Amino acid sequence: MSAAKISIKPNNHRIYQCPNNKKLELLTKIIEQNSDEDILIVCSREVEALVENLNNTTVKVVEDRELVKEKELRSSFLISYDMPIEAIVYMERISRADNKACMLLDESEQKALHSIEMLLGRAIKQEIMEGFEYPKKAEKLSDRPTRKKLSKEEIQEIAKKRYESSTREKPKFDSEKDSRDGDKRVKRDFKSDGKKDDKWAKKRPAPKTTGKKISIKARKEKKED
């Protein structure tokens, strides 16, 4: 079924958001508001139960399988009570509408609407009648604790304390640790490899160099006989 065979104008094509448990009530209201129209109601299943609960002999209710068989069945206003099994079936439905068409859509059926709009080549305008809105979803409570809202005076006081804290003179610390060994000051510094830096190694007194000891007697010249 191509979109070219759809005779109704886009402005006369509607989706009415409605929970499943309120569809019968909304359907009755739409029928009353369009009593001068030749109305045809189409559903995908349970047509007998719908006819019984509707209790209206002025409108005709058919199932999708019956609609396909009756090729000449048409109406000025076609109402889809639910979402059909396939998108192409919906195209068959609205091709039987001469003037207007609408569908009652539960929130769970919204995802299937995309494939219908793709075949149709445009989005279908959605409306909400008062009293037939989707139920509001409960907001998820965050696990994070809520922050207390501060007054202007409290914010100014916090800012003042932060400023005073940042402007205080910080104590100065020597970057190097000094250790004392007696009266000598020893500075130590270790490299990343764990070895001492010779620059700061402890200075030790140089060892005293002593020459070879020679006996005084050996230095005296022997007298010639």
Side-chain angles (χ1 to χ4, degrees):
M1 177 67 64
S2 64
K5 294 185 179 180
I6 309 302
S7 60
I8 60 173
K9 296 180 180 179
N11 196 41
N12 289 337
H13 193 187
R14 290 285 187 278
I15 294 289
Y16 288 109
Q17 297 181 8
C18 182
N20 282 327
N21 60 349
K22 291 187 175 182
K23 279 188 177 182
L24 186 61
E25 183 183 352
L26 180 57
L27 179 61
T28 304
K29 186 174 183 178
I30 293 173
I31 292 172
E32 291 174 354
Q33 292 176 347
N34 297 272
S35 56
D36 57 336
E37 297 278 359
D38 175 26
I39 298 175
L40 174 64
I41 302 170
V42 187
C43 61
S44 59
R45 60 189 180 277
E46 299 179 357
V47 63
E48 294 83 4
L50 180 57
V51 171
E52 184 178 348
N53 291 323
L54 188 59
N55 194 22
N56 190 317
T57 57
T58 61
V59 297
K60 187 173 184 177
V61 183
V62 297
E63 199 173 342
D64 284 318
R65 289 176 293 182
E66 184 181 353
L67 183 69
V68 173
K69 292 177 183 178
E70 298 186 26
K71 301 295 184 181
E72 302 301 322
L73 185 59
R74 302 189 65 85
S75 67
S76 62
F77 185 21
L78 186 136
I79 303 174
S80 294
Y81 185 74
D82 56 12
M83 175 69 68
I85 298 173
E86 295 181 5
I88 192 66
V89 177
Y90 183 77
M91 300 296 285
E92 179 66 30
R93 288 183 184 182
I94 60 172
S95 68
R96 307 296 184 91
D98 295 328
N99 186 26
K100 294 190 298 184
C102 73
M103 178 163 59
L104 312 186
L105 197 68
D106 182 73
E107 191 172 12
S108 62
E109 299 169 322
Q110 284 282 352
K111 289 183 179 180
L113 183 63
H114 177 70
S115 57
I116 291 175
E117 292 177 330
M118 288 293 290
L119 278 178
L120 192 60
R122 58 178 172 81
I124 306 171
K125 185 176 180 180
Q126 298 198 23
E127 290 187 3
I128 303 173
M129 285 194 178
E130 187 177 354
F132 299 95
E133 302 88 353
Y134 291 150
K136 292 183 179 179
K137 295 180 181 178
E139 294 182 1
K140 293 182 180 179
L141 298 176
S142 176
D143 295 333
R144 297 180 181 178
T146 55
R147 293 183 178 181
K148 180 184 176 183
K149 191 174 181 180
L150 301 176
S151 64
K152 185 177 180 181
E153 292 75 14
E154 288 174 328
I155 295 172
Q156 290 175 346
E157 184 65 25
I158 291 172
K160 181 180 178 182
K161 288 180 180 179
R162 287 180 180 175
Y163 175 76
E164 291 175 352
S165 177
S166 64
T167 54
R168 285 183 193 145
E169 185 177 356
K170 295 182 180 179
K172 296 180 180 179
F173 298 95
D174 292 335
S175 59
E176 299 171 341
K177 293 182 179 179
D178 296 341
S179 63
R180 295 188 178 278
D181 184 9
D183 294 336
K184 295 180 181 180
R185 185 175 182 179
V186 181
K187 296 183 179 180
R188 302 178 185 275
D189 186 21
F190 292 86
K191 293 183 178 179
S192 58
D193 58 359
K195 295 181 180 179
K196 293 182 179 179
D197 191 342
D198 293 340
K199 182 180 178 181
W200 300 108
K202 180 179 178 181
K203 295 182 179 180
R204 297 180 181 179
K208 294 179 180 180
T209 57
T210 57
K212 183 178 179 181
K213 291 181 180 181
I214 302 174
S215 175
I216 296 175
K217 292 180 180 181
R219 295 180 64 182
K220 291 181 178 181
E221 296 181 0
K222 295 181 179 180
K223 294 180 181 181
E224 296 180 357
D225 293 337

